[in-house]
Amino acid sequence: MTSYLVLIALSFVTAFALTPLVRRIGLRVGAASSIRDRDVHSVPIPKLGGVAMIIAILVGLGVASRMDFLQGSFADPGPAVGVLVGALLALVLGIVDDLLDLRWYVQLVGQVSIGTVVALSGVRLEAMPVGWIGIKSGPVQFALTVFLIVLTMNAINFVDGLDGLAAGVAVIGATAFFIYCYTLARTINQFDHSNFAAMLMALLLGACLGFLPHNFNPAKIFMGESGALIIGLMMSVAAIMVTADVGAQEGYRFRNIPAYMPIILPVAVILLPLLDFALAVIRRTAHGRSPFSADRGHLHHKLVDGGYTQRQAVLVLYLWSGIVAFGSVAFIFRQFDWKTIVAVDLLLAIGAGYLTMRPWLRRGVAQRRHAAGLDRPPHHGSGNEPPGDAGG
């Protein structure tokens, strides 16, 4: 655990220290966001924040490769090389997009290129983690791997609409995923707790934590395209790698690790971005528009339009992310009864649901009171009151 904590601290300090520098560069080169109808900020804010995150992750990856504790994770250098090259491509694509505002199809080509590089490095989805149904076809493995990486990148990108939202959701998801990966490593091998997916989540957690203070409302800088790309890349690669870890351990699959956790948890930690992504695609397609066109119909926009401030809306979405992510990871601990976990998750979800709908509920109550005349001020001077009772 000490090695992972060192990596978290290293990527945190690096991202935290570099972000102000990147902000100044962004202002100097003109990489500031213009004000659009769907935006919730009123002044241009520099982008390129993801550059600091990527550098922090790459620095951490280099240090991790020299740690004796993590040598097992680098025994096969392919995945590490894939992440390295993929991160560099994300860096270039993100900077170009933040400067030139690329068309959606150009971004998609870049995302597919990143996924292709990672898949060629040996990171492949070799089994569906529902009962570990093997995928024998190499081309199918390749296509599914690229699809998962591109899907996760776009899901993160779609949720990046309020100050600190995407970075905070990534912190919550990376923390939950790290707990799962580390617990899995300890379960599989009591002598070697190194795990490639856990290492990736430690680096992502630190980088997002270091960036978040600069990005939380009121934001001084946005993560931009590069930030969404690196978060999606790290999350998807970790999900694929941890599926392979569990699938290779038949003896531990049902005895120590719940059978469906490798698919439940990756989905759970990015459920909010995935849900927002799916709703956006349905909404835009139904109106005859491109699924990648921009609008103001995202979940975070609805909360702000409903009456929440930016900061309140972000905290509500943090709450939902935490309930789903940590509520899912709790199932891996055998000392917790699953019925108790379900009950607690359900109670928390009900509370979060009430909190989410509170502005609309209050508005509905006010409208009903107004319709019933209960909120009308006292009416004086109708001519029926005794003299002297209508004032004073």
Side-chain angles (χ1 to χ4, degrees):
M1 176 61 82
T2 302
S3 296
Y4 293 124
L5 293 177
V6 169
L7 293 179
I8 293 172
L10 175 63
S11 56
F12 168 82
V13 171
T14 305
F16 183 81
L18 285 180
T19 300
L21 174 61
V22 172
R23 179 180 183 275
R24 288 194 292 270
I25 294 175
L27 289 171
R28 183 168 299 179
V29 301
S33 59
S34 57
I35 308 302
R36 302 162 297 186
D37 292 340
R38 69 180 188 274
D39 288 332
V40 294
H41 60 281
S42 56
V43 295
I45 297 176
K47 296 183 281 188
L48 298 178
V51 172
M53 296 166 58
I54 293 177
I55 294 175
I57 288 171
L58 293 179
V59 169
L61 188 65
V63 172
S65 68
R66 310 306 302 174
M67 288 182 170
D68 292 336
F69 173 77
L70 292 171
Q71 286 309 298
S73 298
F74 292 91
D76 177 6
V81 172
V83 170
L84 172 63
V85 177
L88 292 175
L89 289 176
L91 180 64
V92 174
L93 177 62
I95 291 175
V96 173
D97 181 68
D98 288 341
L99 292 174
L100 304 179
D101 196 15
L102 300 174
R103 299 284 185 142
W104 68 266
Y105 49 84
V106 178
Q107 297 179 31
L108 183 60
V109 170
Q111 294 166 2
V112 171
S113 300
I114 294 172
T116 300
V117 167
V118 173
L120 288 174
S121 72
V123 177
R124 299 287 183 89
L125 187 63
E126 299 178 355
M128 297 300 292
V130 181
W132 280 266
I133 303 172
I135 303 174
K136 303 300 182 182
S137 170
V140 174
Q141 292 179 3
F142 189 95
L144 287 176
T145 299
V146 175
F147 173 77
L148 179 60
I149 293 172
V150 173
L151 174 66
T152 310
M153 287 177 174
N154 279 285
I156 299 297
N157 201 2
F158 272 48
V159 82
D160 184 24
L162 293 180
D163 297 352
L165 180 55
V169 169
V171 166
I172 294 169
T175 302
F177 213 167
F178 171 78
I179 293 172
Y180 172 74
C181 295
Y182 182 71
T183 304
L184 174 64
R186 288 174 58 90
T187 303
I188 290 177
N189 190 332
Q190 61 178 322
F191 302 107
D192 183 8
H193 300 163
S194 65
N195 181 273
F196 189 77
M199 178 191 67
L200 294 184
M201 290 300 95
L203 295 174
L204 180 62
L205 172 58
C208 290
L209 277 175
F211 173 71
L212 190 56
H214 305 284
N215 181 235
F216 197 70
N217 183 264
K220 302 178 183 67
I221 186 172
F222 293 149
M223 67 169 59
E225 184 73 10
S226 55
L229 292 176
I230 193 62
I231 293 174
L233 174 64
M234 300 287 277
M235 285 283 190
S236 54
V237 171
I240 295 169
M241 296 296 291
V242 80
T243 300
D245 289 340
V246 177
Q249 300 294 327
E250 294 295 327
Y252 293 91
R253 190 173 69 189
F254 293 103
R255 181 159 60 88
N256 290 324
I257 301 294
Y260 295 98
M261 284 306 296
I263 193 171
I264 293 175
L265 190 58
V267 172
V269 298
I270 59 168
L271 180 62
L272 183 67
L274 284 176
L275 177 62
D276 198 28
F277 176 79
L279 292 175
V281 170
I282 294 172
R283 180 177 65 251
R284 294 165 184 174
T285 304
H287 288 85
R289 300 167 54 194
S290 165
F292 297 95
S293 61
D295 62 17
R296 194 184 165 83
H298 292 287
L299 297 176
H300 48 269
H301 289 138
K302 297 297 184 183
L303 289 174
V304 172
D305 293 342
Y308 278 117
T309 65
Q310 276 200 59
R311 184 171 296 190
Q312 290 170 339
V314 168
L315 293 176
V316 168
L317 295 173
Y318 283 178
L319 176 61
W320 276 112
S321 296
I323 291 172
V324 176
F326 293 112
S328 299
V329 82
F331 284 99
I332 71 173
F333 297 102
R334 289 179 294 171
Q335 59 267 37
F336 297 150
D337 178 66
W338 71 269
K339 294 180 181 178
T340 302
I341 297 174
V342 170
V344 172
D345 285 348
L346 183 59
L347 288 174
L348 290 173
I350 292 173
Y354 169 74
L355 187 62
T356 302
M357 299 303 300
R358 190 164 177 260
W360 288 273
L361 294 174
R362 294 180 63 181
R363 191 176 305 163
V365 171
Q367 290 174 349
R368 287 193 295 272
R369 287 179 60 87
H370 179 74
L374 298 178
D375 58 350
R376 293 174 184 169
H379 181 63
H380 301 299
S382 65
N384 297 324
E385 302 86 306
D389 288 353

